[in-house]
């Protein structure tokens, strides 16, 4: 029914105009088109609102709620001030996009036909339902009863606080702008209620344990959704109830508040009649053990509904050695694990099926395994008869073979993307196993940093590609770079004096550029950049520019001390020609003993031919490689005969260039 009484307080001039217009068109009732009211728009209002963008949704012109003369609402076409109502004319919509906040803390007499928060590009708007506040968006003749929170270009914020109630007879729709937010509840207080016919959630959604967030129909999470369930105890967390199918997407985050989860703890974060799709990731702010993971299951919860339950479980661990490619399955947990299938996957094609040792081939765990088609993207097996039982306590150490290729794809490709998952036949539950890497081979340049105190950093080419670079930079948002410790290529006179030029130098960024050409790093070659890391936050980022390219390539940063290598006189992680240079330049010295590898017997305390022989016998060794590993392709240089003669005569002079 059209609410005419609420408009009695309209200005007389406007009332005369409307009556005259009604007479002209021959209407018998005061029916107007769908009308949009704006909350405190940046225009001159009559009467003007109080200063500032914020205000009360139900503020009245004269304090009489029957007339609905809204102090904070304005309709620009007829220049009227009324609180929007779904049942006046064809319906009225409420827009908040002035950067301000509309507060609801009472039960008002009028309900809008739609609520729109920051939907227009470059606008923003907030609605906050406080304790005691009740508001509903209702369906009218030409209004859909929706609540729209932001868009792709605008920013909307919806907060339903404890004790508040908000209802949408239509849909709750959140735009794709990553700044949009729907927040229901708080860590303490009464119930916060948000209900709608359906929900399309496309950005940030935060739900607390005291929230009653529900729909009578379906729910949809898009690929950009970040759904955060706030957790305060085992089984106590934020949850959304959908009356129909919930389509999953985006990411699920469990945020633990002053609470540490343990194995077996679980939280029902969703309920729905059915689920389709899946979350792209399930994460938390908790530091879980290396063999613990968040596992999702979908148990029946009664009333024809399924729950989406997340629990902390012991899981299998796939250890992958970057240097050898070997993949080893381990179970360091205590409880036995049942499985009837497993999967190892790589979108980047980093698997080598020819090296795979399948359980079927080994007739393991009772045999009867069926291997799936083995490709560079997929390795897996199924057991059609019953589950295999894998005992805990690290009694399982199964070698799948050298199935990992760290150099798959072109140089610079991020291919460290292995996934390991397995399933249980009794309930069809799927478990995300943990993948842990060791070793230093990467398909890009590596900045290896000692995190234990020295802060020494080495720029290493552990790939199988010869690389030519003409610039690099290292970033740290936390300011963990040492400009005094950094031993730049400019300072080292790499490629000759004045070839490299430092272009940035502060605690957040260091970098330099080759002014004349490039520096080549062969496979296994390293550059010592000195103790450039101050410790603390591990947020270093490496990027470099390949010769002839205009776009930077991302490198990898590994916080791991470079293991000592015998014969590595310049401490760059490999025994190469650079170490020969150190030996040559210090030959005969009894004070500069960097090249004193054979420091026993007659060679003790001085640099002599025995130290050359020591270096030559270890030539090509790298950190962690023992007697093998990646070595330089260059032949072992032989010492010139005059050097040995000079040593015998004691005539060789040691010359060292100091750091400038």
């Amino acid at each position: 029914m059209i609410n005419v009484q609420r408009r009695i307080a309209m200005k007389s001039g406007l009332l005369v105009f409307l009556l005259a217009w009604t007479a002209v068109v021959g209407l018998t009732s005061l029916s107007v088109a769908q009308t949009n009211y704006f909350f405190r728009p940046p225009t001159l209002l009559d009467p003007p609102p109080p200063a500032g963008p914020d205000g009360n949704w139900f503020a009245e012109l004269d304090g009489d709620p029957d007339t609905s003369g809204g102090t904070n609402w304005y309709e620009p076409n007829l220049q009227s001030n009324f609180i929007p109502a779904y049942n006046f004319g064809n319906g009225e919509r409420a827009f908040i996009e002035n950067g301000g906040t509309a507060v609801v803390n009472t039960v008002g007499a009028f309900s809008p036909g739609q609520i729109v928060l920051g939907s227009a590009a470059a606008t923003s708007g907030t609605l906050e339902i406080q304790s005691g506040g009740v508001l509903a968006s209702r369906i009218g003749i030409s209004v859909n009863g929706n609540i729209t929170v932001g868009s792709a270009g605008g920013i909307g914020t919806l907060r339903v606080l404890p004790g508040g109630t908000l209802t949408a007879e239509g849909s709750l729709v959140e735009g794709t702008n990553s700044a949009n937010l729907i927040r229901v509840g708080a860590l303490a207080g009464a119930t916060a209620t948000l209900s709608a016919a359906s929900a399309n959630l496309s950005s940030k959604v935060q739900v607390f344990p005291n929230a009653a967030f529900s729909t009578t129909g379906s729910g949809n999470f898009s690929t950009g959704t970040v759904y955060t369930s706030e957790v305060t105890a085992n089984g106590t967390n934020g949850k959304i109830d959908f009356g129909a199918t919930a389509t999953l997407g985006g990411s699920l985050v469990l945020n633990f508040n002053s609470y540490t989860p343990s194995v077996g703890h679980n939280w029902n974060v969703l309920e729905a009649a059915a689920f389709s799709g899946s979350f792209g990731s399930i994460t938390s702010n908790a530091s879980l053990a290396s063999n613990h993971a968040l596992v999702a299951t979908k148990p029946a919860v009664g009333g024809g509904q399924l729950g989406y339950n997340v629990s902390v479980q012991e899981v299998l661990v796939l250890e992958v050695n970057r240097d050898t490619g070997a993949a080893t399955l381990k179970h360091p947990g205590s409880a036995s694990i049942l499985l009837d299938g497993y999967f190892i996957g790589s979108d980047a094609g980093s698997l080598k099926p020819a090296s795979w040792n399948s359980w079927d081939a080994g007739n393991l765990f009772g045999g009867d395994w069926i291997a799936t088609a083995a490709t560079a993207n997929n390795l897996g097996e199924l057991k059609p008869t019953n589950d295999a039982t894998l005992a805990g306590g690290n009694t399982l150490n199964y070698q799948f073979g050298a199935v990992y290729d760290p150099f798959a794809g072109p140089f610079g490709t991020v291919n460290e993307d292995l996934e390991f998952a397995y399933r249980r036949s009794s309930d069809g539950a799927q478990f995300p196993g943990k993948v842990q890497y060791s070793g230093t081979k990467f398909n890009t340049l590596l900045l290896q940093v000692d995190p234990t105190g020295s802060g020494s950093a080495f720029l290493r080419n552990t790939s199988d590609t010869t690389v030519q670079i003409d610039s690099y930079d290292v970033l740290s948002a936390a300011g963990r770079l040492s400009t005094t410790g950094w031993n730049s290529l400019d300072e080292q006179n790499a490629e000759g004096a004045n070839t490299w030029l430092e272009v940035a130098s502060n605690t957040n960024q260091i970098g330099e550029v080759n002014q004349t050409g490039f520096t080549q790093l062969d496979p296994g070659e390293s550059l010592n950049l000195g103790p450039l890391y101050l410790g603390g936050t591990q947020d270093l980022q490496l990027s470099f520019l390949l010769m002839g390219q205009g776009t930077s390539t991302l490198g990898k940063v590994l916080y791991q001390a470079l293991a000592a290598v015998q014969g590595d006189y310049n401490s760059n992680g490999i025994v190469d020609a650079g170490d020969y240079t150190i030996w040559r330049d210090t030959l005969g010295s009894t004070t500069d003993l960097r090249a004193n590898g054979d420091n026993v017997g007659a060679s003790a305390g001085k640099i002599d031919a025995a130290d050359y022989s020591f270096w030559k016998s270890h030539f090509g060794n790298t950190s962690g490689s023992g007697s093998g590993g990646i070595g330089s392709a260059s032949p072992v240089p032989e010492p010139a005969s005059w050097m040995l003669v000079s040593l015998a005569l004691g005539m060789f002079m040691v010359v060292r260039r100091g750091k400038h």
Side-chain angles (χ1 to χ4, degrees), residues 62 65 92 98 126 167 229 250 281 327 363 376 531 538 548 552 568 598 606:
D62 55 6
E92 296 174 339
N98 63 331
T126 300
T167 303
S229 174
S281 64
N363 196 31
Q538 296 183 351
S552 294
D568 180 20
D598 189 5
K606 64 179 179 180

PDB file of all heavy atoms in Angstrom, residues 62 65 92 98 126 167 229 250 281 327 363 376 531 538 548 552 568 598 606:
ATOM      1  N   ASP A  62      11.694  17.125  12.047  1.00  0.00           N
ATOM      2  CA  ASP A  62      10.959  17.775  13.141  1.00  0.00           C
ATOM      3  C   ASP A  62      10.765  16.882  14.345  1.00  0.00           C
ATOM      4  O   ASP A  62       9.977  17.196  15.242  1.00  0.00           O
ATOM      5  CB  ASP A  62       9.592  18.250  12.636  1.00  0.00           C
ATOM      6  CG  ASP A  62       8.788  17.105  12.004  1.00  0.00           C
ATOM      7  OD1 ASP A  62       9.265  15.948  12.078  1.00  0.00           O
ATOM      8  OD2 ASP A  62       7.715  17.364  11.453  1.00  0.00           O
ATOM      9  N   PRO A  65       8.344  10.944  13.813  1.00  0.00           N
ATOM     10  CA  PRO A  65       8.633   9.811  12.942  1.00  0.00           C
ATOM     11  C   PRO A  65       7.514   9.511  11.961  1.00  0.00           C
ATOM     12  O   PRO A  65       7.724   8.798  10.989  1.00  0.00           O
ATOM     13  CB  PRO A  65       8.840   8.660  13.934  1.00  0.00           C
ATOM     14  CG  PRO A  65       8.086   9.060  15.151  1.00  0.00           C
ATOM     15  CD  PRO A  65       8.203  10.538  15.238  1.00  0.00           C
ATOM     16  N   GLU A  92      11.473   3.402  -3.030  1.00  0.00           N
ATOM     17  CA  GLU A  92      12.597   4.327  -2.909  1.00  0.00           C
ATOM     18  C   GLU A  92      13.843   3.570  -2.446  1.00  0.00           C
ATOM     19  O   GLU A  92      13.780   2.696  -1.570  1.00  0.00           O
ATOM     20  CB  GLU A  92      12.255   5.434  -1.904  1.00  0.00           C
ATOM     21  CG  GLU A  92      11.100   6.292  -2.377  1.00  0.00           C
ATOM     22  CD  GLU A  92      10.640   7.295  -1.348  1.00  0.00           C
ATOM     23  OE1 GLU A  92      10.921   7.087  -0.142  1.00  0.00           O
ATOM     24  OE2 GLU A  92       9.989   8.289  -1.736  1.00  0.00           O
ATOM     25  N   ASN A  98      28.964   8.912  -0.198  1.00  0.00           N
ATOM     26  CA  ASN A  98      29.628  10.195   0.029  1.00  0.00           C
ATOM     27  C   ASN A  98      30.882  10.052   0.883  1.00  0.00           C
ATOM     28  O   ASN A  98      31.431  11.036   1.352  1.00  0.00           O
ATOM     29  CB  ASN A  98      28.666  11.150   0.749  1.00  0.00           C
ATOM     30  CG  ASN A  98      28.285  10.635   2.133  1.00  0.00           C
ATOM     31  OD1 ASN A  98      28.258   9.431   2.359  1.00  0.00           O
ATOM     32  ND2 ASN A  98      27.987  11.544   3.049  1.00  0.00           N
ATOM     33  N   THR A 126      29.395   3.595   3.925  1.00  0.00           N
ATOM     34  CA  THR A 126      29.378   2.629   5.016  1.00  0.00           C
ATOM     35  C   THR A 126      28.027   2.640   5.707  1.00  0.00           C
ATOM     36  O   THR A 126      27.456   3.712   5.959  1.00  0.00           O
ATOM     37  CB  THR A 126      30.474   2.948   6.046  1.00  0.00           C
ATOM     38  OG1 THR A 126      31.752   2.894   5.408  1.00  0.00           O
ATOM     39  CG2 THR A 126      30.454   1.964   7.206  1.00  0.00           C
ATOM     40  N   THR A 167      18.195  -7.019   7.590  1.00  0.00           N
ATOM     41  CA  THR A 167      17.534  -8.017   6.756  1.00  0.00           C
ATOM     42  C   THR A 167      17.428  -7.514   5.328  1.00  0.00           C
ATOM     43  O   THR A 167      17.128  -6.335   5.103  1.00  0.00           O
ATOM     44  CB  THR A 167      16.123  -8.324   7.287  1.00  0.00           C
ATOM     45  OG1 THR A 167      16.214  -8.751   8.647  1.00  0.00           O
ATOM     46  CG2 THR A 167      15.450  -9.405   6.459  1.00  0.00           C
ATOM     47  N   SER A 229      36.794 -16.551   9.031  1.00  0.00           N
ATOM     48  CA  SER A 229      36.035 -17.013  10.187  1.00  0.00           C
ATOM     49  C   SER A 229      36.879 -16.764  11.431  1.00  0.00           C
ATOM     50  O   SER A 229      37.964 -17.326  11.571  1.00  0.00           O
ATOM     51  CB  SER A 229      35.709 -18.504  10.051  1.00  0.00           C
ATOM     52  OG  SER A 229      35.099 -18.999  11.222  1.00  0.00           O
ATOM     53  N   GLY A 250      37.571 -18.586  -4.098  1.00  0.00           N
ATOM     54  CA  GLY A 250      38.375 -17.656  -3.321  1.00  0.00           C
ATOM     55  C   GLY A 250      39.138 -18.367  -2.221  1.00  0.00           C
ATOM     56  O   GLY A 250      39.523 -19.528  -2.342  1.00  0.00           O
ATOM     57  N   SER A 281      42.217 -21.850  -1.391  1.00  0.00           N
ATOM     58  CA  SER A 281      43.176 -22.069  -0.310  1.00  0.00           C
ATOM     59  C   SER A 281      42.454 -21.993   1.021  1.00  0.00           C
ATOM     60  O   SER A 281      41.428 -21.324   1.154  1.00  0.00           O
ATOM     61  CB  SER A 281      44.301 -21.027  -0.351  1.00  0.00           C
ATOM     62  OG  SER A 281      43.783 -19.725  -0.113  1.00  0.00           O
ATOM     63  N   ALA A 327      61.992 -37.376  -4.339  1.00  0.00           N
ATOM     64  CA  ALA A 327      60.790 -37.110  -3.545  1.00  0.00           C
ATOM     65  C   ALA A 327      60.581 -38.268  -2.584  1.00  0.00           C
ATOM     66  O   ALA A 327      60.471 -39.425  -3.014  1.00  0.00           O
ATOM     67  CB  ALA A 327      59.582 -36.936  -4.446  1.00  0.00           C
ATOM     68  N   ASN A 363      54.723 -53.246  -5.519  1.00  0.00           N
ATOM     69  CA  ASN A 363      53.789 -54.156  -4.845  1.00  0.00           C
ATOM     70  C   ASN A 363      53.696 -53.837  -3.347  1.00  0.00           C
ATOM     71  O   ASN A 363      53.745 -54.722  -2.487  1.00  0.00           O
ATOM     72  CB  ASN A 363      54.220 -55.612  -5.045  1.00  0.00           C
ATOM     73  CG  ASN A 363      53.108 -56.591  -4.703  1.00  0.00           C
ATOM     74  OD1 ASN A 363      51.922 -56.284  -4.859  1.00  0.00           O
ATOM     75  ND2 ASN A 363      53.491 -57.771  -4.218  1.00  0.00           N
ATOM     76  N   ALA A 376      54.067 -35.024 -17.005  1.00  0.00           N
ATOM     77  CA  ALA A 376      54.839 -33.990 -16.323  1.00  0.00           C
ATOM     78  C   ALA A 376      53.981 -33.172 -15.373  1.00  0.00           C
ATOM     79  O   ALA A 376      54.505 -32.426 -14.544  1.00  0.00           O
ATOM     80  CB  ALA A 376      55.493 -33.067 -17.348  1.00  0.00           C
ATOM     81  N   PRO A 531      77.912  -9.058   3.820  1.00  0.00           N
ATOM     82  CA  PRO A 531      76.875  -9.158   4.858  1.00  0.00           C
ATOM     83  C   PRO A 531      75.836  -8.040   4.725  1.00  0.00           C
ATOM     84  O   PRO A 531      75.803  -7.097   5.519  1.00  0.00           O
ATOM     85  CB  PRO A 531      77.672  -9.051   6.159  1.00  0.00           C
ATOM     86  CG  PRO A 531      78.873  -8.243   5.787  1.00  0.00           C
ATOM     87  CD  PRO A 531      79.214  -8.617   4.381  1.00  0.00           C
ATOM     88  N   GLN A 538      62.340 -11.563   7.595  1.00  0.00           N
ATOM     89  CA  GLN A 538      62.879 -12.182   6.381  1.00  0.00           C
ATOM     90  C   GLN A 538      61.984 -11.821   5.199  1.00  0.00           C
ATOM     91  O   GLN A 538      61.133 -12.598   4.774  1.00  0.00           O
ATOM     92  CB  GLN A 538      62.992 -13.699   6.555  1.00  0.00           C
ATOM     93  CG  GLN A 538      63.975 -14.098   7.643  1.00  0.00           C
ATOM     94  CD  GLN A 538      64.162 -15.603   7.773  1.00  0.00           C
ATOM     95  OE1 GLN A 538      63.435 -16.394   7.171  1.00  0.00           O
ATOM     96  NE2 GLN A 538      65.134 -16.015   8.570  1.00  0.00           N
ATOM     97  N   GLY A 548      69.506  -7.352 -22.638  1.00  0.00           N
ATOM     98  CA  GLY A 548      68.636  -7.257 -23.799  1.00  0.00           C
ATOM     99  C   GLY A 548      67.162  -7.278 -23.486  1.00  0.00           C
ATOM    100  O   GLY A 548      66.332  -7.204 -24.401  1.00  0.00           O
ATOM    101  N   SER A 552      62.045  -6.857 -15.645  1.00  0.00           N
ATOM    102  CA  SER A 552      62.819  -7.561 -14.632  1.00  0.00           C
ATOM    103  C   SER A 552      62.344  -9.001 -14.467  1.00  0.00           C
ATOM    104  O   SER A 552      61.177  -9.330 -14.700  1.00  0.00           O
ATOM    105  CB  SER A 552      62.713  -6.839 -13.285  1.00  0.00           C
ATOM    106  OG  SER A 552      63.327  -5.569 -13.344  1.00  0.00           O
ATOM    107  N   ASP A 568      87.277 -23.622  -1.247  1.00  0.00           N
ATOM    108  CA  ASP A 568      86.520 -22.418  -1.645  1.00  0.00           C
ATOM    109  C   ASP A 568      87.148 -21.215  -0.942  1.00  0.00           C
ATOM    110  O   ASP A 568      86.647 -20.730   0.064  1.00  0.00           O
ATOM    111  CB  ASP A 568      85.052 -22.589  -1.263  1.00  0.00           C
ATOM    112  CG  ASP A 568      84.199 -21.383  -1.632  1.00  0.00           C
ATOM    113  OD1 ASP A 568      84.636 -20.592  -2.499  1.00  0.00           O
ATOM    114  OD2 ASP A 568      83.108 -21.232  -1.048  1.00  0.00           O
ATOM    115  N   ASP A 598      95.561 -26.539   2.669  1.00  0.00           N
ATOM    116  CA  ASP A 598      96.339 -27.660   3.193  1.00  0.00           C
ATOM    117  C   ASP A 598      97.188 -27.156   4.353  1.00  0.00           C
ATOM    118  O   ASP A 598      98.408 -27.024   4.264  1.00  0.00           O
ATOM    119  CB  ASP A 598      97.219 -28.235   2.083  1.00  0.00           C
ATOM    120  CG  ASP A 598      97.897 -29.537   2.510  1.00  0.00           C
ATOM    121  OD1 ASP A 598      97.592 -30.019   3.620  1.00  0.00           O
ATOM    122  OD2 ASP A 598      98.716 -30.037   1.728  1.00  0.00           O
ATOM    123  N   LYS A 606     101.300 -20.999   5.903  1.00  0.00           N
ATOM    124  CA  LYS A 606     101.783 -20.260   4.736  1.00  0.00           C
ATOM    125  C   LYS A 606     101.083 -20.771   3.480  1.00  0.00           C
ATOM    126  O   LYS A 606     100.550 -21.885   3.454  1.00  0.00           O
ATOM    127  CB  LYS A 606     103.301 -20.409   4.595  1.00  0.00           C
ATOM    128  CG  LYS A 606     103.764 -21.831   4.313  1.00  0.00           C
ATOM    129  CD  LYS A 606     105.279 -21.885   4.159  1.00  0.00           C
ATOM    130  CE  LYS A 606     105.755 -23.322   3.895  1.00  0.00           C
ATOM    131  NZ  LYS A 606     107.229 -23.388   3.741  1.00  0.00           N
TER     132      LYS A 606
END
